Structures are given as C-alpha cells and as structure tokens.
Amino acid sequence: MSDNDLLVIVPTRGRRDQCERLLESFTATATCADLLFVLDPDDLDTYADADWGEAVTAVLDPRAFLTGKLNQTALPMADMYRVLMWAGDDCVFRPPPQEGGPAWDRAMLDLLDGEMGGTGWVYADDKRRHDVPEHWMVSSDIVRELGWFANPAVNHFYNDNSIAEIGKRTGMIRYCPQAVVEHLHYSVAKNVEHDAVYRSTEELFGAADLKAFQEWHASQMPYEVARLRRRFSRDVNWVLSRVA
C-alpha cells in the first residue's frame, strides 16, 4: 500500500472482464487513491494469471457476501487509510465531466475535507441513482466509531438506503456531481447481461435484506444516529469545549 489517503475496495466474484475494465478506468483516472480487489476462495480460477497492475488483491476465507467482504476488509484498513470507499465490479471510473476539473478522487476528497471538516460520507454521480449512495466514500473515524463500513444487519441489499438514512439524519453526507463513477448495472446499461451473479444475489437476499433493513431502521438506526451526533457534532463539541 502507498501513502495515499484513500483506499477503494472492490468485492468481486465471477467477473474478470469487469474487473479488468474497472482497473483500466481506475488507472487512467485516479490521482490519489489505492485499489484493493477482494476475492472468494472458491472463485480464484476466474482470475488466474490476471494482471492486477498496482492494485492489491485479498482473499477472504471462508467466503463472505458483500457486507462481510466490505466490513472484514474495511475495519483493519481504517487504521491504515484516512478515507475508505467501495465500488462494485460493475463500475467504471470516468474523467471529470468538466474539462480541467479535478479527478473523481480529488473532487470527493476536497468536498469531504473542505465542506465537511474531514468527517462524513461522500458519493459520486453513478449515472443510475442520486437519492441514495449505491457506492460511497467515508472517513475512517466513522468506521471505527460504528464498528462497520456496511450495515451488518443486511447481507447485500439496502446498504445504500442504510447509509442514506444515517447520513441524512446526521447531516454528514454529501453528493459530489463533479465525480463520476458509473454503475453499469443491467437495469440501466442495455448491453449488460443479467448474469448469474446478479440473479443468485437477488434470489438469496432480496426479500430477506428488505425485512432486515426495516427491522434495523425501526430499532437500531436511531441509536447509530445518536451515537454519531454525540461523537462528531460540531455544535456538541463547541458546547463541551465551553464547559471545559
């Protein structure tokens, strides 16, 4: 790993071509980020002899699903990187939408550091949805405080809704249209196949994750919000400093 502030985590399974496309786009556009692919132990043949360039790979054994991959990777990396981000293997990093503008990683970090004081969530324009962060960047102090990067109540789906809820209720999330990380999902990209990875995940976790998210939203989410407000609210910190 380098001295960069930002690590991008990419969980993947069964998609060598997409990973090679993502890696090519990352190499062409990133200016201050490192890249880590997270593989499954029973899927290594898919990536045999792949040229990962300057990216790093990790294998989680036993296999974990999306939330497990993100959390098991992000928690130790939170002590090595100031900011963590994830992207699906069906994403592509794009050049700045305006000529001469900052690269996607610099634009997101500038927003985090400038407007937000270095703590919070930032998400890019993914050309699919803007109401929730399907992929997000978060400062590592939040990961350490919560003990997770992705909502441990769900396995795959509704992580974006979870981050949207916590971020909006704490006022600690921002959308960064100057950064484009395109999500080439089959629902919006006509030439993308509704492949076995999509289908199996939908069958396994679609309904179960919705129920788990709803239960988390009603029971645990308010405590997570209160915890972050107490820890990171500038108003609370100001009051405490005056008392001291």
Side-chain angles (χ1 to χ4, degrees):
M1 296 296 179
S2 73
D3 294 329
N4 286 333
D5 283 344
L6 171 63
L7 176 67
V8 180
I9 303 167
V10 180
T12 185
R13 180 176 180 84
R15 289 178 172 166
R16 175 169 176 163
D17 290 345
Q18 288 90 328
C19 285
E20 291 175 342
R21 179 184 64 190
L22 182 149
L23 177 58
E24 181 180 4
S25 70
F26 181 92
T27 302
T29 59
T31 62
C32 54
D34 291 335
L35 185 62
L36 170 63
F37 290 93
V38 184
L39 313 178
D40 291 330
D42 62 341
D43 189 38
L44 297 181
D45 288 347
T46 301
Y47 304 92
D49 301 322
D51 181 1
W52 298 104
E54 295 185 2
V56 175
T57 62
V59 179
L60 287 185
D61 194 0
R63 175 191 174 188
F65 294 101
L66 177 62
T67 298
K69 284 181 179 177
L70 291 174
N71 286 337
Q72 290 181 52
T73 306
L75 287 172
M77 290 300 171
D79 292 327
M80 300 176 62
Y81 286 86
R82 185 173 64 87
V83 184
L84 301 171
M85 179 177 171
W86 90 278
D89 55 15
D90 54 357
C91 289
V92 174
F93 297 88
R94 299 299 190 189
Q98 294 184 345
E99 184 176 355
W104 60 268
D105 50 357
R106 178 47 57 195
M108 295 176 76
L109 285 171
D110 285 350
L111 178 55
L112 178 68
D113 292 336
E115 183 176 324
M116 307 177 71
T119 295
W121 288 271
V122 176
Y123 63 107
D125 179 4
D126 73 354
K127 301 301 180 182
R128 184 168 181 256
R129 297 183 66 178
H130 298 163
D131 57 325
V132 297
E134 292 191 314
H135 304 90
W136 63 86
M137 165 190 290
V138 62
S139 52
S140 292
D141 52 0
I142 288 180
V143 175
R144 291 191 295 267
E145 179 66 24
L146 291 175
W148 52 264
F149 175 95
N151 185 354
V154 300
N155 284 292
H156 185 99
F157 297 104
Y158 301 98
N159 265 304
D160 45 9
N161 301 81
S162 302
I163 299 302
E165 286 290 331
I166 291 183
K168 291 173 182 177
R169 290 173 185 267
T170 58
M172 297 170 64
I173 192 167
R174 299 291 187 276
Y175 169 58
C176 184
Q178 295 80 18
V180 179
V181 181
E182 188 171 4
H183 187 190
L184 294 176
H185 189 269
Y186 72 86
S187 64
V188 292
K190 294 181 179 179
N191 61 337
V192 173
E193 178 189 359
H194 186 194
D195 63 15
V197 177
Y198 287 127
R199 293 196 305 272
S200 64
T201 303
E202 291 163 356
E203 292 167 1
L204 283 171
F205 301 124
D209 277 352
L210 173 58
K211 181 179 179 180
F213 168 74
Q214 291 170 334
E215 293 175 350
W216 170 86
H217 188 275
S219 59
Q220 187 62 29
M221 186 269 293
Y223 295 99
E224 306 284 29
V225 170
R227 182 177 182 177
L228 292 179
R229 283 177 173 169
R230 286 195 302 268
R231 173 66 176 82
F232 296 112
S233 170
R234 296 181 183 180
D235 293 336
V236 170
N237 290 338
W238 183 86
V239 170
L240 293 177
S241 70
R242 303 298 290 181
V243 172

